[in-house]
Amino acid sequence: MKIAFIADIHGNSVALNNCLLFLKEQAVSKIYFLGDAVGYLPFAKEVIGILQKEEITCIKGNHEAMLLGELPVPEGNEEVYRLGQAKKSLSREELSFIASWSNTYETIVNKKKLLIMHGSPKDYLCGYIYPDTDLEQFAKVPADVIVFSHTHYPFTKTQNGKLFINAGSVGLPRDCGNLSSVAIYNSVTETAAIYRIPFITDVFLANEMTDKIHPAVVECLLRKKETCTGNLIN
């Protein structure tokens, strides 16, 4: 059984459609979304519509919590996040759909317990786990597979008999700006792999988008790196 994890779409419906097409080609049995459908980029409504249509199981991220008023927006960050812009585009029904997402999700697959969240086991919404984070602090977490995102840097690592999966970001990768990241867990081999799917950034760099996207977000989309974590899909 192959299970896919996607995260941090951040209003990028272009990249989301590309990733879902790839995952359908991989014949995954289940897709989990790990939060942050909104923020930064302007197509929040389109992203929410796709998640609803595809009946993807969704977990709440910190940007959803800020959108709903469950977390404060850090001072000065609204100019970058554009959550007000996202909220105005969403219907009451779409906001209710987002509000229904849980902060964490647990499931058993082939006798292995999966713990799924946006941040970390210590802070489901806002915890950060980077590739160089000391994973020893999670040794006593009662799960065999721990799945998360939030940092926009994907990786997989095994430690203390646990498999850690950071799904990275579909919509705003922080290493290679135009390479979406998705993770696929194989419950038979008990292994996971990261895949990178290119998306076209032109739609976000057009002149008419300059008032809808912060320059810092544009800079992120334009980032290049000689090597990026994961298997590149051409």
XYZ file of all heavy atoms in Angstrom, residues 5-20 23 31-52 54 56-64 81 83 97 101 118 149-152 167-174 177 180-182 199 204 217 221:
576
model
N 1.797 11.959 1.079
C 1.670 13.111 1.977
C 2.045 14.381 1.209
O 3.113 14.449 0.588
C 2.579 12.947 3.193
C 2.301 11.701 3.981
C 3.108 10.580 3.837
C 1.215 11.635 4.840
C 2.850 9.419 4.553
C 0.948 10.474 5.555
C 1.759 9.365 5.414
N 1.149 15.358 1.258
C 1.414 16.651 0.647
C 1.185 17.727 1.706
O 0.443 17.518 2.665
C 0.517 16.916 -0.584
C -0.970 16.879 -0.197
C 0.815 15.903 -1.683
C -1.919 17.256 -1.334
N 1.838 18.877 1.538
C 1.734 19.906 2.575
C 2.103 21.270 2.016
O 2.653 21.393 0.915
C 2.660 19.558 3.740
N 1.793 22.291 2.797
C 2.238 23.666 2.525
C 2.009 24.067 1.064
O 2.940 24.448 0.352
C 3.703 23.821 2.924
C 3.895 23.687 4.432
O 3.665 24.682 5.141
O 4.228 22.579 4.894
N 0.749 23.993 0.654
C 0.385 24.389 -0.712
C 0.416 25.902 -0.850
O 0.811 26.444 -1.883
C -1.013 23.846 -1.072
C -1.055 22.323 -0.910
C -1.389 24.235 -2.495
C -2.462 21.743 -0.943
N -0.033 26.603 0.177
C 0.048 28.063 0.260
C -0.506 28.781 -0.978
O 0.157 29.636 -1.571
C 1.483 28.501 0.526
C 1.924 28.246 1.936
N 1.292 28.817 3.026
C 2.904 27.448 2.443
C 1.884 28.418 4.133
N 2.859 27.563 3.814
N -1.719 28.403 -1.362
C -2.387 29.126 -2.444
C -1.833 28.867 -3.824
O -2.123 29.615 -4.760
N -1.062 27.806 -4.000
C -0.458 27.491 -5.294
C -1.214 26.323 -5.938
O -0.790 25.166 -5.870
C 1.023 27.152 -5.123
C 1.763 27.043 -6.445
O 1.149 26.834 -7.490
N 3.078 27.165 -6.408
N -2.331 26.635 -6.572
C -3.147 25.598 -7.213
C -2.453 24.984 -8.423
O -2.704 23.833 -8.778
C -4.506 26.165 -7.618
O -4.351 27.283 -8.476
N -1.572 25.751 -9.060
C -0.820 25.254 -10.215
C 0.034 24.053 -9.802
O -0.014 22.978 -10.407
C 0.079 26.361 -10.806
C 0.937 25.815 -11.941
C -0.764 27.534 -11.290
N 0.808 24.235 -8.733
C 1.677 23.160 -8.249
C 0.855 21.993 -7.705
O 1.215 20.827 -7.899
C 2.609 23.700 -7.166
N -0.246 22.297 -7.033
C -1.080 21.234 -6.471
C -1.607 20.314 -7.562
O -1.559 19.082 -7.424
C -2.241 21.838 -5.688
C -3.264 20.842 -5.125
C -2.608 19.823 -4.208
C -4.378 21.590 -4.390
N -2.105 20.873 -8.630
C -2.620 20.049 -9.736
C -1.534 19.151 -10.310
O -1.771 17.978 -10.619
C -3.210 20.938 -10.825
C -4.615 21.404 -10.499
O -5.414 20.664 -9.930
N -4.928 22.643 -10.848
N -0.317 19.672 -10.454
C 0.799 18.878 -10.957
C 1.103 17.703 -10.033
O 1.330 16.574 -10.481
C 2.050 19.741 -11.104
C 1.998 20.675 -12.289
O 1.103 20.584 -13.125
N 2.944 21.593 -12.363
N 1.109 17.980 -8.727
C 1.430 16.931 -7.754
C 0.358 15.846 -7.732
O 0.675 14.648 -7.655
C 1.586 17.544 -6.364
S 3.066 18.556 -6.179
N -0.892 16.246 -7.810
C -1.970 15.255 -7.785
C -1.947 14.387 -9.037
O -2.234 13.185 -8.972
C -3.319 15.955 -7.637
C -3.553 16.632 -6.278
C -4.922 17.301 -6.254
C -3.418 15.639 -5.136
N 0.730 11.838 -8.413
C 0.324 10.839 -7.427
C -0.694 9.856 -7.994
O -0.692 8.667 -7.644
C -0.233 11.522 -6.182
C 0.795 12.322 -5.368
C 0.123 13.045 -4.217
C 1.915 11.422 -4.858
N -4.222 9.862 0.187
C -3.452 11.102 0.235
C -3.846 11.860 1.496
O -5.034 12.067 1.768
C -3.701 11.995 -0.993
C -3.330 11.269 -2.284
C -2.905 13.304 -0.876
C -3.667 12.051 -3.541
N -2.850 12.273 2.260
C -3.068 13.134 3.419
C -2.461 14.507 3.127
O -1.335 14.603 2.631
C -2.404 12.556 4.668
C -3.046 11.300 5.185
C -2.559 10.046 4.825
C -4.139 11.355 6.048
C -3.142 8.880 5.302
C -4.733 10.187 6.528
C -4.228 8.962 6.146
O -4.812 7.808 6.615
N -3.203 15.556 3.481
C -2.685 16.914 3.380
C -2.358 17.403 4.776
O -3.197 17.365 5.674
C -3.713 17.836 2.717
C -3.354 19.292 2.816
C -2.177 19.766 2.261
C -4.179 20.182 3.485
C -1.817 21.099 2.373
C -3.842 21.522 3.602
C -2.661 21.983 3.036
N -1.125 17.896 4.966
C -0.614 18.207 6.299
C -0.726 19.676 6.695
O -0.065 20.117 7.632
C 0.860 17.781 6.408
C 1.204 16.369 5.925
C 2.662 16.065 6.181
C 0.326 15.335 6.585
N -1.555 20.440 6.003
C -1.806 21.807 6.439
C -1.102 22.890 5.654
O -0.172 22.648 4.892
N -1.591 24.108 5.852
C -1.162 25.325 5.156
C -1.570 25.316 3.685
O -0.734 25.366 2.774
C 0.330 25.563 5.315
C 0.687 26.189 6.670
O -0.202 26.222 7.548
O 1.827 26.632 6.850
N -2.869 25.285 3.469
C -3.425 25.428 2.123
C -3.383 26.879 1.690
O -3.347 27.173 0.486
C -4.869 24.919 2.093
N -3.393 27.791 2.657
C -3.531 29.226 2.379
C -2.266 29.975 2.778
O -1.346 29.422 3.373
C -4.748 29.795 3.135
C -6.027 29.080 2.712
C -4.551 29.661 4.653
N -2.254 31.272 2.440
C -1.134 32.128 2.786
C -0.133 32.267 1.658
O 0.050 31.347 0.867
N 0.493 33.422 1.560
C 1.561 33.740 0.618
C 1.083 33.950 -0.826
O 1.267 35.024 -1.393
C 2.650 32.657 0.614
C 3.421 32.515 1.890
C 3.391 31.333 2.615
C 4.216 33.563 2.377
C 4.112 31.184 3.798
C 4.942 33.420 3.552
C 4.886 32.237 4.250
O 5.600 32.092 5.412
N 0.512 32.933 -1.437
C 0.126 32.991 -2.850
C -1.397 33.098 -2.985
O -2.141 32.694 -2.084
C 0.680 31.772 -3.600
C 2.220 31.740 -3.645
C 2.735 30.375 -4.056
C 2.756 32.808 -4.579
N -1.915 33.629 -4.111
C -3.292 34.126 -4.155
C -4.420 33.157 -4.489
O -5.574 33.566 -4.480
C -3.207 35.201 -5.253
C -2.157 34.720 -6.180
C -1.140 34.045 -5.301
N -4.133 31.881 -4.753
C -5.211 31.011 -5.227
C -5.731 30.072 -4.141
O -5.911 28.866 -4.343
C -4.730 30.217 -6.447
C -4.298 31.097 -7.579
C -3.023 30.973 -8.118
C -5.137 32.070 -8.099
C -2.602 31.797 -9.165
C -4.739 32.895 -9.142
C -3.467 32.760 -9.676
N -6.016 30.646 -2.977
C -6.519 29.858 -1.849
C -7.847 29.185 -2.179
O -8.059 28.012 -1.853
C -6.678 30.745 -0.615
N -8.752 29.906 -2.797
C -10.072 29.354 -3.103
C -9.954 28.151 -4.032
O -10.639 27.132 -3.836
C -10.962 30.419 -3.741
C -12.417 29.980 -3.920
C -13.265 31.123 -4.447
C -14.731 30.726 -4.498
N -15.307 30.557 -3.139
N -9.099 28.255 -5.028
C -8.905 27.150 -5.961
C -8.321 25.929 -5.240
O -8.735 24.788 -5.496
C -7.982 27.571 -7.105
C -8.589 28.571 -8.081
C -8.564 30.020 -7.608
O -8.150 30.263 -6.452
O -8.952 30.910 -8.372
N -7.382 26.172 -4.336
C -6.758 25.074 -3.591
C -7.788 24.358 -2.718
O -7.864 23.115 -2.718
C -5.599 25.602 -2.716
C -5.148 24.539 -1.708
C -4.435 26.025 -3.589
N -8.585 25.116 -1.998
C -9.602 24.517 -1.139
C -10.596 23.720 -1.980
O -11.009 22.608 -1.594
C -10.331 25.589 -0.309
C -9.358 26.288 0.644
C -11.492 24.971 0.472
C -8.660 25.364 1.610
N -10.969 24.239 -3.118
C -11.878 23.523 -4.006
C -11.324 22.190 -4.458
O -12.049 21.188 -4.523
N -10.034 22.153 -4.764
C -9.393 20.904 -5.198
C -9.354 19.897 -4.054
O -9.655 18.716 -4.231
C -7.966 21.183 -5.721
C -8.029 22.029 -6.997
C -7.220 19.867 -5.991
C -6.684 22.609 -7.410
N -8.999 20.347 -2.852
C -8.942 19.449 -1.697
C -10.315 18.846 -1.411
O -10.434 17.660 -1.073
C -8.435 20.202 -0.468
C -6.977 20.669 -0.518
C -6.662 21.540 0.699
C -6.011 19.485 -0.578
N -11.361 19.654 -1.560
C -12.722 19.151 -1.354
C -13.107 18.151 -2.446
O -13.627 17.070 -2.146
C -13.713 20.314 -1.341
C -13.653 21.167 -0.091
C -14.654 22.305 -0.135
O -14.648 23.124 -1.053
N -15.512 22.373 0.866
N -11.265 16.305 -4.367
C -10.490 15.067 -4.333
C -10.701 14.279 -3.032
O -10.153 13.195 -2.889
C -9.000 15.376 -4.508
C -8.644 16.029 -5.842
C -8.894 15.110 -7.026
O -8.785 13.873 -6.863
O -9.198 15.621 -8.118
N -9.566 14.683 -0.051
C -8.294 14.435 0.622
C -8.447 14.680 2.127
O -9.064 15.668 2.543
C -7.202 15.342 0.025
C -6.920 14.921 -1.430
C -5.923 15.313 0.857
C -6.035 15.869 -2.188
N -7.909 13.782 2.932
C -7.938 13.972 4.379
C -6.990 15.103 4.751
O -5.800 15.063 4.424
C -7.510 12.676 5.112
O -8.434 11.643 4.771
C -7.500 12.881 6.618
N -7.523 16.121 5.438
C -6.752 17.336 5.706
C -6.493 17.528 7.191
O -7.383 17.329 8.029
C -7.503 18.557 5.180
S -7.766 18.568 3.391
N -5.267 17.926 7.513
C -4.866 18.279 8.868
C -4.567 19.778 8.874
O -4.036 20.323 7.906
C -3.620 17.469 9.304
C -3.981 15.990 9.493
C -3.031 18.001 10.604
C -3.690 15.130 8.299
N -4.908 20.426 9.942
C -4.776 21.886 10.029
C -3.315 22.303 10.205
O -2.547 21.671 10.933
C -5.613 22.396 11.197
C -5.764 23.916 11.269
C -6.644 24.303 12.460
C -8.072 23.839 12.276
N -8.920 24.220 13.445
N -2.952 23.401 9.534
C -1.632 24.001 9.699
C -1.732 25.325 10.439
O -2.834 25.806 10.730
N -0.595 25.939 10.744
C -0.621 27.205 11.472
C -1.271 28.316 10.664
O -1.903 29.225 11.224
C 0.795 27.606 11.904
C 1.732 27.848 10.744
O 1.884 26.986 9.864
N 2.399 28.989 10.717
N -1.188 28.255 9.323
C -1.813 29.301 8.519
C -3.338 29.187 8.544
O -4.031 30.214 8.521
C -1.282 29.271 7.081
C 0.004 30.021 6.928
N 0.111 31.228 6.278
C 1.248 29.741 7.380
C 1.349 31.662 6.316
N 2.066 30.768 6.977
N -3.870 27.972 8.608
C -5.311 27.817 8.789
C -5.733 28.356 10.155
O -6.766 29.024 10.291
C -5.738 26.351 8.652
C -5.880 25.863 7.236
C -4.546 25.512 6.604
O -3.697 24.908 7.298
O -4.358 25.828 5.416
N 2.046 37.172 4.454
C 1.127 36.034 4.461
C -0.108 36.255 3.589
O -0.630 35.317 2.993
C 0.666 35.727 5.887
C 1.720 35.204 6.816
C 1.471 35.118 8.186
C 2.973 34.789 6.359
C 2.428 34.636 9.065
C 3.931 34.315 7.226
C 3.661 34.249 8.584
O 4.606 33.768 9.449
N -3.180 36.681 4.492
C -4.279 35.841 4.948
C -5.620 36.559 4.856
O -6.656 35.921 4.640
C -4.015 35.368 6.384
C -2.879 34.350 6.517
C -2.518 34.124 7.977
C -3.262 33.030 5.860
N -15.344 24.251 6.241
C -14.578 23.067 5.845
C -13.193 23.102 6.469
O -12.727 22.115 7.065
C -14.491 23.014 4.323
C -13.545 21.976 3.776
C -13.732 20.623 4.027
C -12.456 22.359 2.988
C -12.855 19.667 3.518
C -11.586 21.414 2.477
C -11.781 20.069 2.736
N -10.962 20.692 10.121
C -9.724 19.923 10.116
C -9.184 19.771 11.541
O -9.225 20.711 12.341
C -8.663 20.586 9.242
C -9.065 20.803 7.816
C -10.204 20.364 7.191
C -8.342 21.539 6.828
N -10.232 20.772 5.886
C -9.099 21.498 5.624
C -7.131 22.226 6.836
C -8.679 22.123 4.457
C -6.700 22.856 5.669
C -7.472 22.792 4.485
N 1.107 18.891 11.219
C 1.779 19.930 10.439
C 3.157 20.255 11.006
O 4.129 20.323 10.254
C 0.930 21.209 10.421
C 1.535 22.323 9.627
N 1.629 22.294 8.258
C 2.111 23.490 10.000
C 2.200 23.392 7.816
N 2.519 24.138 8.861
N 5.493 18.560 8.326
C 5.949 19.459 7.247
C 6.415 20.771 7.879
O 7.351 20.770 8.664
C 4.819 19.690 6.235
O 3.657 20.192 6.869
N 5.792 21.888 7.521
C 5.962 23.212 8.138
C 7.258 23.930 7.784
O 7.261 25.158 7.625
C 5.820 23.099 9.653
C 5.729 24.413 10.365
N 4.984 25.479 9.900
C 6.284 24.835 11.547
C 5.086 26.497 10.733
N 5.873 26.132 11.742
N 8.383 23.219 7.668
C 9.655 23.893 7.398
C 9.881 24.161 5.916
O 10.741 24.954 5.560
C 10.846 23.052 7.896
O 10.900 21.836 7.142
C 10.705 22.729 9.381
N 9.141 23.464 5.055
C 9.303 23.548 3.587
C 10.617 22.915 3.121
O 11.045 23.136 1.992
C 9.217 24.998 3.093
C 7.910 25.665 3.353
N 7.363 26.587 2.488
C 7.018 25.565 4.372
C 6.213 27.023 2.961
N 5.982 26.411 4.124
N 7.331 16.074 4.618
C 6.813 16.091 3.243
C 7.246 17.308 2.439
O 7.048 17.351 1.221
C 5.288 16.006 3.259
N 7.846 18.307 3.096
C 8.253 19.503 2.365
C 7.063 20.345 1.960
O 6.020 20.333 2.618
N 7.193 21.059 0.851
C 6.147 21.997 0.418
C 5.770 21.788 -1.036
O 6.640 21.695 -1.904
C 6.621 23.441 0.614
O 5.709 24.358 0.054
N 4.461 21.735 -1.270
C 3.950 21.692 -2.644
C 4.079 23.052 -3.308
O 4.537 23.169 -4.450
C 2.467 21.253 -2.649
C 1.821 21.526 -4.010
C 2.343 19.777 -2.302
N 3.693 24.107 -2.606
C 3.525 25.402 -3.250
C 4.625 26.410 -3.111
O 4.745 27.325 -3.943
N 5.472 26.287 -2.062
C 6.514 27.286 -1.847
C 7.756 26.636 -1.234
O 8.107 26.894 -0.082
C 5.988 28.405 -0.928
C 6.794 29.702 -0.898
C 6.802 30.391 -2.254
C 6.243 30.649 0.161
N 8.433 25.761 -1.991
C 9.652 25.121 -1.485
C 10.701 26.167 -1.125
O 10.817 27.188 -1.803
C 10.114 24.272 -2.672
C 8.900 24.111 -3.534
C 8.120 25.374 -3.374
N 11.458 25.898 -0.067
C 12.455 26.882 0.366
C 13.867 26.529 -0.083
O 14.795 27.287 0.173
C 12.402 27.044 1.889
C 11.063 27.581 2.385
C 11.180 28.193 3.753
N 9.886 28.563 4.304
C 9.211 29.663 3.986
N 9.720 30.504 3.101
N 8.049 29.917 4.542
N 12.969 26.681 -5.612
C 11.698 27.385 -5.617
C 10.615 26.863 -6.529
O 9.434 27.104 -6.289
N 8.076 21.364 -6.442
C 7.190 20.878 -5.388
C 7.755 19.607 -4.776
O 8.477 18.850 -5.434
C 5.812 20.567 -5.960
O 5.177 21.709 -6.454
N 7.382 19.364 -3.533
C 7.801 18.146 -2.848
C 6.579 17.364 -2.402
O 5.617 17.939 -1.884
C 8.657 18.503 -1.631
O 8.969 17.348 -0.880
N 6.612 16.044 -2.608
C 5.608 15.133 -2.052
C 6.354 13.936 -1.479
O 7.478 13.626 -1.898
C 4.580 14.661 -3.109
C 3.889 15.853 -3.759
C 5.234 13.788 -4.173
N 7.019 22.970 -11.326
C 5.844 23.740 -11.713
C 6.293 25.060 -12.319
O 7.384 25.559 -12.035
C 4.882 23.960 -10.537
C 5.435 24.822 -9.420
C 5.270 26.203 -9.426
C 6.094 24.242 -8.342
C 5.759 26.997 -8.390
C 6.592 25.016 -7.295
C 6.423 26.396 -7.325
N 2.834 33.504 -11.347
C 3.011 34.290 -10.128
C 3.963 35.474 -10.321
O 4.003 36.380 -9.488
C 3.548 33.400 -9.010
C 2.669 32.225 -8.712
C 3.066 30.941 -9.029
C 1.425 32.400 -8.132
C 2.257 29.853 -8.754
C 0.599 31.324 -7.868
C 1.014 30.050 -8.184
N 8.264 36.488 -1.229
C 7.704 35.253 -1.777
C 8.210 35.039 -3.201
O 8.534 33.916 -3.594
C 6.164 35.300 -1.739
C 5.567 34.040 -2.346
C 5.679 35.479 -0.302
N 10.329 31.797 -4.762
C 9.971 31.072 -5.984
C 11.133 30.994 -6.971
O 11.224 30.065 -7.767
C 8.777 31.747 -6.662
C 7.413 31.601 -5.980
C 6.399 32.528 -6.645
C 6.924 30.159 -6.016
